[in-house]
Amino acid sequence: MLRDITLGQYYRADSVIHRLDPRVKIVATFAFIISLFIVKNFIGYLIAGLFLAVCIRLSQVPPRFIFRGMKTIFFLLIITMVFNLFLTAGEPIFTFWKFQITKEGIKLAAMMGIRLVFLITGSSLMTLTTTPNNLTDGLESLLGPLKKVRVPVHEISMMMSIALRFIPILMEETDKIMKAQMARGADFESGSIINRAKNLVPLLVPLFISAFRRANDLAMAMEARCYRGGEGRTKMKPLIYKKRDFIAYLVIVLYLVLIVVMGRILFR
Amino acid sequence: MSIIVNHVNYIYEEDTAMAHPALIDINLQIPEGQFIGLIGHTGSGKSTLIQHLNGLIKPTSGEIFYNNQDINEPGYNKKVLRSQVGLVFQYPEHQLFETDCFKDVCFGPKNMGLPKKEVELRAYTALKQVGFEDEYFYQSPFDLSGGQKRRVAIAGVLAMKPEVLILDEPTAGLDPKGREDILRLISDLHAKMRITVILVSHSMEDVADYVDRIIVMNKGRVAFDAPPKEVFAHYRELEEMELAAPQVTYCMQDLAAAGFDVDTSVTTLEEAKKEILKAFGKC
Ligand SMILES: Nc1ncnc2c1ncn2[C@@H]1O[C@H](COP(=O)(O)OP(=O)(O)O)[C@@H](O)[C@H]1O
Ligand SMILES: [Mg+2]
């Protein structure tokens, strides 16, 4: 159940996508998300879908694994689609009582649905193929220029990497505490909503205590090793662009050009 | 009244690239009233195995029977099973959550749906059984020492009056005195209440003095399953599994090798003392 959350979980494999520089992957993900909002027609979505499919294929991550993350946004997806379906004004094709479904509504709902699914899939693919450490290193490097305007880039990326690092630990901990309470007869799966919420207390209290204990230990360990922020700190594995990274950038640019051009041609 | 483990295999994260077998063809019979030591190096599958026994993990293949009933059969009442096969996890103090110790111990029996009086009686008895002082009953469990917290957590399981008590590394992270106390407590519980006890540990030294039978796990398989004396006779093989026989075994083996007429199969310090004195003709 808890293992369904793939966002922020790394899938170990040795693929081209895994080996790419994290900065490339972050830029590519952003470019992809932006492209989803530029696109206005189904040809565009087809191209985006193909691009995504090729990336997934190259990454060697089983698609099953990627779509597992979808379950968690399923409700959001349904709500978005329903709202778009019923609340879009236009040419009605189906009416009952106060509701009407319009042609524009169907089109918008479908587009929003596809957009959301692609968006989550794309960002899942990034987190699945990049270790949390690499991801924050990449982010820190990309946001580096903001240091000039006093944005604490290093601190933010450090907090992010710690947070990401703790997700699997906390999930494991949750699993353990859940089992320990189940061994004492706790029931997390049945009962009314209110009862279920109440039954979470024996899980949440130990979980919070353990999170605070871990945070405390980590702060102590960092201080013991003289951590004092990003100033003058060097990296053990500095990020260096390789040939494949430049090729990847080129592919991204080509992809964006293709999307824009297709939009132009079809809208002329 | 017994547990039977029949050809059990278990694979973690089965349908991912990280799939790895944690248990391979485990077969065991655990009759009523035995005191069993389950020993193995870290990662040998001890914790995975014991979580099968109260139905927290379902085997990938194979069956587990409790009192001649397959516990993974649909419709089998796992909640009742878990009160009969009590499992104390490693670092059980991490599961405490109530505002005071007494309430926390009440959690198990309360989940069994017992009347309030019975719940409180059981909690009181359990706390007494683990040697917990009355004056701490209404203290927050988070203010106690490590050893005391662990006692409260063990009481939390005892309060369900299990027929089988399983403890996962109950001495982990305690000082020598705390270890000794907990081990003696468990041994007393077994002697007084006549329940089956399975004590998980990675140290032979911990269990040698107390148990009737030792099950040695190695890389997901059962390597030995015999009384302590027979298991320790394989001390060379144990070393290959990154385990060790108790110091006494080594001492007696060395004495025998040096030509003294001693019984090398003794396991406890007391027996060893007698043997050595006998060999030197002092008694
Ligand atoms: N929740 C889990 N997910 C994946 N693998 C696990 C999990 N728990 C244990 N393992 C693996 O299963 C094997 C046996 O672990 P465990 O039963 O905890 O051993 P022990 O208790 O003897 O130290 C180890 O290789 C461990 O890495
Ligand atoms: Mg263990």
Side-chain angles (χ1 to χ4, degrees):
Chain A
M1 171 177 69
L2 285 161
R3 296 184 190 279
D4 292 344
I5 306 164
T6 44
L7 211 69
Q9 255 195 326
Y10 180 63
Y11 183 90
R12 193 180 308 279
D14 188 27
S15 74
V16 196
I17 306 279
H18 281 77
R19 280 190 298 253
L20 282 179
D21 191 287
R23 286 170 293 185
V24 177
K25 283 186 268 190
I26 294 169
V27 171
T29 309
F30 263 93
F32 183 70
I33 291 172
I34 291 167
S35 80
L36 289 179
F37 288 91
I38 295 175
V39 170
K40 291 277 186 311
N41 54 47
F42 284 99
I43 298 286
Y45 283 124
L46 200 67
I47 299 171
L50 276 177
F51 180 69
L52 194 59
V54 170
C55 288
I56 291 174
R57 193 67 215 267
L58 284 176
S59 74
Q60 293 171 13
V61 179
R64 196 162 23 90
F65 223 82
I66 293 171
F67 292 113
R68 230 186 259 175
M70 210 64 74
K71 273 191 221 154
T72 46
I73 62 140
F74 189 69
F75 270 110
L76 186 66
L77 187 67
I78 295 294
I79 292 169
T80 315
M81 287 181 64
V82 166
F83 268 86
N84 276 299
L85 197 59
F86 287 111
L87 299 179
T88 313
E91 182 189 329
I93 49 169
F94 183 76
T95 317
F96 68 94
W97 193 40
K98 277 182 187 163
F99 300 103
Q100 61 174 11
I101 294 175
T102 62
K103 204 171 149 199
E104 284 77 6
I106 293 175
K107 206 172 154 199
L108 205 60
M111 280 210 193
M112 286 308 264
I114 295 174
R115 211 175 256 177
L116 213 57
V117 168
F118 280 8
L119 199 143
I120 298 293
T121 313
S123 29
S124 292
L125 186 64
M126 175 178 74
T127 53
L128 279 164
T129 58
T130 321
T131 60
N133 270 340
N134 262 333
L135 204 60
T136 44
D137 270 5
L139 214 57
E140 186 177 354
S141 161
L142 283 173
L143 297 179
L146 287 182
K147 277 183 196 158
K148 296 233 164 59
V149 286
R150 299 261 182 99
V151 177
V153 173
H154 172 80
E155 281 70 18
I156 292 173
S157 77
M158 179 58 96
M159 282 195 300
M160 262 187 58
S161 74
I162 291 174
L164 284 174
R165 177 70 192 82
F166 268 55
I167 289 175
I169 293 181
L170 286 182
M171 293 218 314
E172 212 171 278
E173 193 91 6
T174 310
D175 195 48
K176 227 184 266 169
I177 296 170
M178 230 163 145
K179 277 182 178 166
Q181 305 299 29
M182 274 158 77
R184 291 206 281 165
D187 190 347
F188 296 107
E189 269 136 26
S190 53
S192 66
I193 293 260
I194 294 173
N195 264 336
R196 265 200 232 190
K198 257 194 215 154
N199 290 349
L200 282 182
V201 173
L203 172 63
L204 292 180
V205 172
L207 196 60
F208 271 97
I209 290 170
S210 127
F212 280 122
R213 186 178 53 232
R214 278 179 199 281
N216 203 11
D217 288 354
L218 183 65
M220 202 74 96
M222 283 168 79
E223 214 159 306
R225 289 182 230 172
C226 306
Y227 176 79
R228 54 188 169 76
E231 202 59 43
R233 197 174 153 84
T234 56
K235 294 238 183 282
M236 187 164 133
K237 289 181 190 154
L239 296 174
I240 297 163
Y241 281 124
K242 305 232 171 56
K243 197 171 141 204
R244 59 169 171 263
D245 298 313
F246 293 115
I247 296 174
Y249 273 132
L250 203 65
V251 171
I252 298 164
V253 172
L254 284 178
Y255 164 74
L256 283 178
V257 169
L258 190 64
I259 286 272
V260 172
V261 169
M262 286 314 270
R264 279 284 159 77
I265 290 171
L266 287 167
F267 268 85
R268 212 170 30 190
Chain B
M1 292 285 190
S2 64
I3 301 174
I4 296 171
V5 179
N6 185 33
H7 292 292
V8 163
N9 285 283
Y10 187 73
I11 302 171
Y12 272 111
E13 300 176 82
E14 196 182 0
D15 35 37
T16 72
M18 284 88 90
H20 53 277
L23 294 180
I24 304 159
D25 195 29
I26 305 284
N27 293 290
L28 291 171
Q29 265 207 42
I30 297 165
E32 204 182 344
Q34 257 189 352
F35 192 168
I36 297 173
L38 181 62
I39 314 287
H41 187 57
T42 309
S44 58
K46 308 181 294 291
S47 303
T48 310
L49 175 59
I50 56 172
Q51 286 171 44
H52 278 82
L53 302 184
N54 72 348
L56 283 173
I57 300 183
K58 215 175 148 182
T60 308
S61 70
E63 302 91 39
I64 291 145
F65 297 93
Y66 182 67
N67 294 343
N68 301 323
Q69 273 186 298
D70 186 341
I71 64 167
N72 291 305
E73 206 107 290
Y76 187 88
N77 192 337
K78 291 231 166 119
K79 224 168 158 176
V80 172
L81 173 73
R82 284 172 195 154
S83 69
Q84 289 167 339
V85 181
L87 174 55
V88 181
F89 272 73
Q90 193 169 5
Y91 299 110
E93 57 273 22
H94 292 176
Q95 78 196 24
L96 301 176
F97 68 97
E98 276 289 7
T99 44
D100 67 57
C101 299
F102 190 74
K103 268 195 209 156
D104 205 283
V105 176
C106 285
F107 183 65
K110 209 164 73 191
N111 284 330
M112 293 167 70
L114 297 169
K116 189 160 184 273
K117 258 198 183 141
E118 172 76 11
V119 168
E120 289 182 349
L121 182 66
R122 282 187 176 206
Y124 180 82
T125 319
L127 278 166
K128 278 285 153 202
Q129 274 169 342
V130 299
F132 203 70
E133 315 275 347
D134 289 31
E135 53 188 302
Y136 299 127
F137 273 29
Y138 298 105
Q139 271 212 351
S140 162
F142 306 109
D143 295 340
L144 300 171
S145 74
Q148 294 287 16
K149 271 190 214 171
R150 197 158 293 183
R151 275 164 198 263
V152 175
I154 294 175
V157 171
L158 274 181
M160 297 192 298
K161 293 209 177 141
E163 290 161 1
V164 179
L165 180 65
I166 309 174
L167 302 111
D168 196 354
E169 311 219 7
T171 57
L174 293 182
D175 55 27
K177 168 87 169 47
R179 287 169 89 94
E180 188 76 6
D181 288 350
I182 290 276
L183 288 172
R184 184 146 319 127
L185 167 73
I186 295 165
S187 170
D188 280 353
L189 285 174
H190 172 253
K192 282 197 199 119
M193 297 167 59
R194 298 273 80 199
I195 52 177
T196 313
V197 176
I198 302 177
L199 176 60
V200 178
S201 175
H202 57 254
S203 150
M204 293 286 184
E205 216 81 46
D206 266 5
V207 301
D209 290 355
Y210 304 105
V211 302
D212 311 322
R213 167 180 171 193
I214 291 182
I215 298 169
V216 180
M217 299 271 302
N218 186 36
K219 298 191 178 131
R221 295 173 199 273
V222 173
F224 298 111
D225 179 2
K229 282 186 204 318
E230 285 173 40
V231 171
F232 296 149
H234 298 277
Y235 65 104
R236 297 256 181 254
E237 284 141 285
L238 290 178
E239 277 168 20
E240 276 164 28
M241 300 172 193
E242 301 188 57
L243 294 167
Q247 306 255 315
V248 168
T249 305
Y250 291 100
C251 180
M252 299 315 268
Q253 292 285 357
D254 285 356
L255 281 172
F260 289 97
D261 176 27
V262 290
D263 177 6
T264 54
S265 73
V266 300
T267 53
T268 67
L269 211 53
E270 222 25 66
E271 289 169 338
K273 184 175 141 197
K274 263 189 215 140
E275 272 301 312
I276 293 171
L277 286 175
K278 199 173 78 198
F280 283 92
K282 294 262 172 69
C283 106

